Amino acid sequence: MSALYGLMAEFHDPKAVVEATEAARMAGYRQMDAYSPYPIEALSEALALPKSHVATICLGGGIAGLVAGYGLQYWSSVIEYPMNIGGRPFHSWVAFIPPAYETTILFAAFSAVLGMLALNGLPQPYHPVFNVPAFAGASRDKFFLCIEAGDPLFDAEKTRAFLASQPGVADVAEVQP
Amino acid sequence: MASTPHLDPASAPIIAPGHTFSSVTDKIASIVLARRTPLHWFLGFTIAFSVAQLVLLTIVRLLFWGIGSWGVTVPIGWGFDIINFVWWIGIGHAGTLISAILLLLKQEWRTSINRFAEAMTLFAVVCAAQYPLFHTGRPWIAAYWLLPYPNTMGLWPNFRSPLIWDVFAVTTYASVSAVFWYVGLIPDFATLRDRAKNKLMAMVYGIGSMGWRGSARHWHNYESAYLLLAGLATPLVVSVHTVVSFDFAVGVLPGWHATIFPPYFVAGAIYAGFAMVLTLAIPLRAWYGLKDFITDRHLDNMAKVMLATGLIVAYGYAMEAFFAWYSASSWEIFMIRNRMFGPYGHMYWALILCNVVAPNTLWVPRLRHSHAWLFFISLVVSVGMWLERYVIIVTSLHRDFLPSSWGMYQGTVWDWSFFIGTIGLFVTLLYLFVRFLPAISMFEMKTILPGARVEEHHS
């Protein structure tokens, strides 16, 4: 039994999974995750998830993009290849704004996406939850709560009984690692 | 919905009643996962793909002959290539507006149209990119004067030129739109992976999904990233057509050198884009039975956006004429008179008819709610927006300050074949998109279903 990844309860209603998740956290479980076919804000609250770091990464990317874009223009137009074009100064900072603006957005957008993927550990081709046959419904119309075996309070019998006692639960399945 | 025309579409629900999480998933996924491809798909695809071959044919001819096969000549050095580039880029803008700006404004009705509007954006940018890429006839030369990379000649681009700004704006726009689109597709790829009937499809969609499993922890970061992308795409889309308008406005030519160009171009882009979204949405919802999701209310809203942006564009035309008069500059006055009553006058008035007169019929509710009329008007607006670019570019260039250098311009058969070819390319890509990817975002549709939202309560 110790080889289990965790126990997974299936729900058919978004409200039920949120309530069960809240109850599990109240019962002291921490190492758990809920699964839903669409984002549910209340579920993040029920899991007491900390603020996402994506915004910070995105800000960092944006600043890097601004520095890189402006730096590239300054370096190539003033230092590396100074050219007198229509008598304009080498450092034509007004003209350098549009490309720097675009690189800021470019870097910010890519860091938001890559940051999100990195924080989520994606791409991840294999995950134990996919071993539960009913889990295919998680991308359609079913909701799941999985309490993982790594949680200090996890006990195959007691946790199963706890999940089975939740209102609205449809099934409790073992998740093979 | 369609059977109850007496209902006011403006107050109708944004999704037909009776739908559940499973019915939404099944309906949208079934179009992609169906084993049999409908006959009309093959028919449409074959025609579009055949027309798209004109692009290859034109490019081969162009590479052998150079741009002599086009109609551009002194004094009109900018012809179909820039007209078509601006036209396509403009069309793309509605996709970003729908997916980003309307998301930030919490316009929930956007949910069912954002996916294919974003696809339209990407494909329009693909078509637009052909023109700057090939407009010199020698695309391999474009690399070092457009892109800043260390080359053996030690050359760097001139960053004081709006054309270089354009390169940065359009490549950023293409990249960010593609990423935005893909991020939106990840959860839907997971749905298709879980519902695919054969192993190969499950694998392909599985790779696309990156192993997405709908974890609440993942959604938490995902929502944050999605919102940030929308927040970044909004200033981006406004900047793209602004920079496109700088290509003209920074020049000294009467008819181009105007401060109204950036807002006027952005409004025109959204106008053209909504016309194209309507052109695509009306047949799509009919052919694939998606009237429950793309309801009459959606068409009504889009018609209103089109009308509103059309009026902004009309204001732009009026201001162009007003500025010419108010400036008291003989060059400006000559330009506008030549534009209205010169050799290209018929195109100017055709443009006014298409872009100013025709869309005003949408004030009448009966006409606005007629799908046939709306479809017709959206095609008229697309033609009008093409004429607008033609008029701005050609009539400004063909008679400049020096009468001895005046000339006339006409597109050759190769100009037209390139243009028609890109329309074929655009339609081909759309056909492939509808067959292989979910045309409506499944996970976002679920969020607007009744009962989807769970109230937070702290215990």
Side-chain angles (χ1 to χ4, degrees), chain A residues 48-142:
Chain A
L49 295 181
K51 214 170 165 291
S52 171
H53 290 299
V54 173
T56 321
I57 296 171
C58 177
L59 176 69
I63 293 169
L66 178 66
V67 172
Y70 201 91
L72 169 76
Q73 296 180 81
Y74 185 85
W75 178 79
S76 65
S77 315
V78 180
I79 299 165
E80 174 65 14
Y81 192 60
M83 279 275 268
N84 185 334
I85 293 164
R88 293 177 187 85
F90 294 137
H91 183 203
S92 302
W93 67 271
V94 179
F96 295 171
I97 291 173
Y101 180 90
E102 304 296 343
T103 51
T104 306
I105 291 179
L106 182 69
F107 279 50
F110 272 81
S111 33
V113 172
L114 296 177
M116 181 270 285
L117 292 176
L119 290 175
N120 288 349
L122 297 174
Q124 185 181 7
Y126 175 79
H127 194 274
V129 290
F130 290 116
N131 290 329
V132 178
F135 190 73
S139 64
R140 184 168 178 253
D141 58 347
K142 302 288 190 287

Side-chain angles (χ1 to χ4, degrees), chain B residues 439-458:
Chain B
I440 296 177
S441 171
M442 292 185 275
F443 88 88
E444 283 183 290
M445 284 305 279
K446 289 171 200 168
T447 62
I448 59 167
L449 283 172
R453 204 159 280 160
V454 183
E455 297 304 321
E456 291 144 36
H457 49 88
H458 300 279

Side-chain angles (χ1 to χ4, degrees), chain B residues 343-378:
Chain B
Y344 292 104
H346 58 284
M347 297 197 97
Y348 182 80
W349 295 111
L351 138 76
I352 296 293
L353 181 71
C354 290
N355 275 359
V356 179
V357 180
N360 272 296
T361 57
L362 297 178
W363 285 104
V364 183
R366 182 183 289 275
L367 290 173
R368 192 168 69 234
H369 299 158
S370 153
H371 301 158
W373 184 255
L374 200 53
F375 185 71
F376 173 68
I377 289 292
S378 63

Side-chain angles (χ1 to χ4, degrees), chain A residues 14-15 18-19 22 26 30-45 47 49-55 58 72-73 75-77 80-81 83 85 88-92 95-96 98-99 101-103 105-106 108-110 112-113 116-117 119-125 127 129-130 135-136 138-141 143, chain B residues 21-23 25-26 148 153-161 164-165 168-173 175-176 179-180 182-183 186-187 190-195 207 209-225 228-229 232-233 235-236 239-240 243 246 443-444 446-447 451-459:
Chain A
K15 236 178 134 121
V18 171
E19 275 162 13
E22 230 155 50
M26 288 297 143
R30 289 293 175 269
Q31 206 172 326
M32 58 181 172
D33 207 346
Y35 301 87
S36 60
Y38 62 91
I40 303 173
E41 221 171 297
L43 212 46
S44 313
E45 305 251 328
L47 285 166
L49 295 181
K51 214 170 165 291
S52 171
H53 290 299
V54 173
C58 177
L72 169 76
Q73 296 180 81
W75 178 79
S76 65
S77 315
E80 174 65 14
Y81 192 60
M83 279 275 268
I85 293 164
R88 293 177 187 85
F90 294 137
H91 183 203
S92 302
F96 295 171
Y101 180 90
E102 304 296 343
T103 51
I105 291 179
L106 182 69
F110 272 81
V113 172
M116 181 270 285
L117 292 176
L119 290 175
N120 288 349
L122 297 174
Q124 185 181 7
H127 194 274
V129 290
F130 290 116
F135 190 73
S139 64
R140 184 168 178 253
D141 58 347
F143 305 83
Chain B
F21 296 131
S22 48
S23 74
T25 315
D26 296 350
M153 296 161 288
L155 298 174
W156 290 89
N158 170 22
F159 286 106
R160 298 167 195 90
S161 163
I164 297 298
W165 305 346
F168 276 74
V170 171
T171 49
T172 299
Y173 185 49
S175 320
V176 173
V179 165
F180 198 10
Y182 180 69
V183 168
I186 290 174
T191 306
L192 292 173
R193 170 200 66 202
D194 295 341
R195 299 186 52 70
I207 291 168
S209 76
M210 292 194 175
W212 183 262
R213 53 185 189 273
S215 149
R217 291 166 200 279
H218 289 184
W219 280 123
H220 189 53
N221 290 324
Y222 180 92
E223 284 279 277
S224 175
L228 283 166
L229 276 181
L232 290 165
L236 174 63
S239 82
V240 173
V243 169
F246 284 165
F443 88 88
E444 283 183 290
K446 289 171 200 168
T447 62
R453 204 159 280 160
V454 183
E455 297 304 321
E456 291 144 36
H457 49 88
H458 300 279
S459 35

Side-chain angles (χ1 to χ4, degrees), chain B residues 89-253:
Chain B
I89 278 283
I91 283 171
H93 279 45
T96 320
L97 181 97
I98 290 169
S99 56
I101 301 179
L102 296 185
L103 178 77
L104 296 180
L105 296 176
K106 291 199 184 284
Q107 295 292 308
E108 284 189 332
W109 61 275
R110 73 176 262 288
T111 305
S112 64
I113 52 172
N114 74 330
R115 172 70 49 74
F116 82 84
E118 281 172 43
M120 178 197 82
T121 296
L122 274 181
F123 304 154
V125 173
V126 166
C127 292
Q130 306 306 315
Y131 297 98
L133 207 57
F134 287 99
H135 80 290
T136 58
R138 296 291 176 265
W140 47 90
I141 294 173
Y144 63 81
W145 57 263
L146 292 181
L147 300 173
Y149 71 99
N151 52 61
T152 51
M153 296 161 288
L155 298 174
W156 290 89
N158 170 22
F159 286 106
R160 298 167 195 90
S161 163
L163 296 177
I164 297 298
W165 305 346
D166 218 3
V167 172
F168 276 74
V170 171
T171 49
T172 299
Y173 185 49
S175 320
V176 173
S177 301
V179 165
F180 198 10
W181 193 55
Y182 180 69
V183 168
L185 274 166
I186 290 174
D188 279 6
F189 276 137
T191 306
L192 292 173
R193 170 200 66 202
D194 295 341
R195 299 186 52 70
K197 287 177 195 81
N198 72 58
K199 245 196 146 90
L200 179 73
M201 277 171 91
M203 249 174 75
V204 172
Y205 288 124
I207 291 168
S209 76
M210 292 194 175
W212 183 262
R213 53 185 189 273
S215 149
R217 291 166 200 279
H218 289 184
W219 280 123
H220 189 53
N221 290 324
Y222 180 92
E223 284 279 277
S224 175
Y226 201 62
L227 215 59
L228 283 166
L229 276 181
L232 290 165
T234 301
L236 174 63
V237 70
V238 174
S239 82
V240 173
H241 232 61
T242 300
V243 169
V244 169
S245 83
F246 284 165
D247 290 348
F248 304 98
V250 172
V252 293
L253 209 64

Side-chain angles (χ1 to χ4, degrees), chain B residues 309-366:
Chain B
T309 47
L311 293 173
I312 301 175
V313 170
Y315 175 78
Y317 299 150
M319 279 305 114
E320 271 189 322
F322 173 76
F323 282 165
W325 170 74
Y326 193 70
S327 70
S329 151
S330 54
W331 311 110
E332 289 282 346
I333 292 168
F334 171 77
M335 180 281 300
I336 199 79
R337 281 177 63 176
N338 181 52
R339 188 175 277 182
M340 287 175 174
F341 307 109
Y344 292 104
H346 58 284
M347 297 197 97
Y348 182 80
W349 295 111
L351 138 76
I352 296 293
L353 181 71
C354 290
N355 275 359
V356 179
V357 180
N360 272 296
T361 57
L362 297 178
W363 285 104
V364 183
R366 182 183 289 275

